[in-house]
Amino acid sequence: MSYYVHSVPGRLRVKIPMVRCEPEAGREVVEIVENIRGVRHVEVNPVTGSVVVRYDPKWSRCEEILEVLQKHGYFDEQKVLPNDPLVENAAVKASRIIGKTLFGMAVEKAFEGSALSMLAAFI
């Protein structure tokens, strides 16, 4: 069971495994986080387990929000996945898609024209 955290000032996204497919846990997280000073909006996606918190950085910090989640058992800092493997996996998938697309375009260009040119391309 691992967690993912992405934060920019005013916005925090946390993937919480316990919220995934558990609507009651999601409602409890919303209730807990909404009571933190400076929090403007909390949105839970029960399909992915993602919790997005929009807050005023003048009144609150993402570390404070994570501490509250940890206090209530919804976050474990020791089990946070670093961004590097996630970014690397996304880059590998994107490069595969781009490679397949370019190869498809090259094959299409090679076989453009008559059946004779198609036969010539095979020879």
Side-chain angles (χ1 to χ4, degrees), residues 4-123:
Y4 169 75
V5 176
H6 179 265
S7 176
V8 295
R11 184 178 180 278
L12 169 68
R13 176 184 299 275
V14 186
K15 290 225 177 175
I16 303 175
M18 291 170 282
V19 172
R20 188 169 183 230
C21 300
E22 295 292 336
E24 184 58 40
R27 284 189 287 277
E28 186 173 331
V29 166
V30 169
E31 203 171 286
I32 291 167
V33 176
E34 280 182 335
N35 287 315
I36 299 171
R37 188 177 87 165
V39 170
R40 294 178 175 161
H41 181 72
V42 182
E43 183 179 334
V44 175
N45 183 334
V47 175
T48 63
S50 180
V51 177
V52 177
V53 181
R54 294 188 196 316
Y55 62 94
D56 185 341
K58 293 177 186 174
W59 293 101
S60 192
R61 300 173 302 120
C62 75
E63 293 83 9
E64 179 185 353
I65 296 166
L66 293 173
E67 285 173 12
V68 169
L69 286 170
Q70 187 157 344
K71 177 182 165 191
H72 289 322
Y74 284 105
F75 182 71
D76 186 348
E77 187 177 355
Q78 302 299 318
K79 296 180 181 177
V80 173
L81 284 177
N83 290 343
D84 296 344
L86 296 171
V87 171
E88 186 177 321
N89 286 342
V92 167
K93 287 179 184 178
S95 66
R96 285 184 188 149
I97 292 169
I98 292 169
K100 287 179 181 179
T101 302
L102 291 175
F103 178 74
M105 290 170 59
V107 168
E108 184 178 314
K109 189 71 173 169
F111 293 128
E112 204 172 66
S114 70
L116 184 58
S117 64
M118 187 185 268
L119 182 59
F122 278 111
I123 297 173

